[in-house]
Amino acid sequence: MKLNTGLWQGQSMKLNMTQQLTQAIELLQYSSQELNAYLESKALENPLLQLESVPFEERNRSRESSGMSIDWIEEVAVTQSTLWEHLNSQLDLKTLTNEDRNILSLLFDSLDDNGYLPSNVESIFEVDDLSRYIEMIHGLEPAGIGARNLKECLLLQIGRDIEAPKNVRSIIEHHFVDFCEKTWKTIAVELGVSLADIQAAADYVKTLNPRPGQDLRLKLLIISARRWL
């Protein structure tokens, strides 16, 4: 096994932490009302996110009884780092060697903010049977994690949904560019389906998550932010 991570991995982790601190600092400048508005806007953008409000008196009692001082930067940084923890915890349900866990952990570290692996992951990690490890990541939650591009991310989610429209997998897998450019007549002719079928597939694709990693981080961030409002 040869892992070409070294300096690249260190720079990637430094960049990720810089982004986390930047977001934390921005949040620090918000008033409670502005932070509430920010969180609510994010919840509206993503129907998978739900905000839970804790009464003001209860929050104050919790802070006073614990005697804790709140460090927003630390809280946000810890929360955002839990994407790795969330994925790694799922490995406890699998029978893996130490080498397997080490390789998967390094692959988790290489995920970008959207939860995608680098498109050139094969050249970064010279690992025997790398495809097996990538398939293992594809089987974790959230669906779509570890994809190398948007097309693969959508296909991973479609593959898990037994109620997905009949032709949607074929459309995304073989006609992705035409589908994105909305040249649907070409697709309809080649597949022998109606434009209504293509529209149904399009409506379904809109319900999928193109950024599984980002949305998970945001959900964890919202939980943390609401805790200290």
Side-chain angles (χ1 to χ4, degrees):
M1 177 181 70
K2 180 181 178 183
L3 302 178
N4 295 335
T5 53
L7 180 61
W8 171 86
Q9 183 180 355
Q11 290 175 337
S12 176
M13 293 177 66
K14 181 178 180 181
L15 176 60
N16 186 46
M17 181 56 68
T18 300
Q19 292 171 337
Q20 292 172 3
L21 292 177
T22 298
Q23 187 173 22
I25 292 170
E26 290 176 353
L27 288 173
L28 277 170
Q29 299 173 8
Y30 287 1
S31 67
S32 294
Q33 289 182 338
E34 289 171 336
L35 185 54
N36 268 317
Y38 169 79
L39 296 177
E40 288 170 358
S41 69
K42 290 301 181 182
L44 288 174
E45 291 174 8
N46 187 346
L48 297 179
L49 299 178
Q50 294 182 349
L51 299 181
E52 295 183 2
S53 179
V54 178
F56 179 78
E57 295 80 5
E58 183 177 333
R59 294 197 296 269
N60 276 349
R61 283 197 300 271
S62 177
R63 294 183 191 181
E64 292 170 358
S65 61
S66 64
M68 294 191 307
S69 60
I70 307 307
D71 186 339
W72 262 93
I73 292 180
E74 179 182 353
E75 187 71 24
V76 173
V78 169
T79 299
Q80 291 193 325
S81 72
T82 56
L83 172 61
W84 183 92
E85 294 172 0
H86 174 76
L87 296 173
N88 202 55
S89 67
Q90 296 176 59
L91 301 183
D92 294 337
L93 303 176
K94 301 179 182 295
T95 303
L96 300 170
T97 66
N98 288 334
E99 182 180 26
D100 290 338
R101 292 180 182 277
N102 289 335
I103 292 172
L104 287 168
S105 180
L106 288 171
L107 288 171
F108 293 162
D109 284 337
S110 73
L111 295 170
D112 66 15
D113 284 344
N114 292 324
Y116 287 16
L117 285 170
S119 58
N120 62 336
V121 63
E122 289 83 1
S123 63
I124 298 174
F125 298 92
E126 296 180 6
V127 176
D128 293 338
D129 201 13
L130 180 62
S131 60
R132 179 173 70 89
Y133 293 104
I134 294 176
E135 287 179 5
M136 290 175 64
I137 295 176
H138 289 170
L140 301 178
E141 295 293 341
I145 202 75
R148 284 155 287 189
N149 51 57
L150 175 59
K151 177 180 177 180
E152 186 174 42
C153 182
L154 298 177
L155 286 172
L156 288 172
Q157 294 175 65
I158 292 169
R160 292 198 195 185
D161 187 359
I162 60 174
E163 297 182 356
K166 181 179 179 180
N167 298 301
V168 67
R169 182 174 186 85
S170 180
I171 291 171
I172 297 301
E173 188 167 8
H174 303 295
H175 305 277
F176 187 63
V177 174
D178 285 336
F179 180 75
C180 293
E181 295 178 349
K182 294 191 175 182
T183 54
W184 292 354
K185 288 185 179 180
T186 301
I187 302 175
V189 170
E190 292 189 14
L191 293 182
V193 298
S194 67
L195 288 177
D197 292 329
I198 306 297
Q199 182 63 61
D203 292 339
Y204 170 78
V205 169
K206 289 179 182 178
T207 68
L208 301 179
N209 187 352
R211 300 179 296 273
Q214 187 180 89
D215 287 345
L216 178 60
R217 283 190 177 96
L218 180 58
K219 182 175 182 180
L220 294 169
L221 176 61
I222 286 176
I223 292 172
S224 177
R226 295 294 298 188
R227 178 183 175 188
W228 302 119
L229 275 178

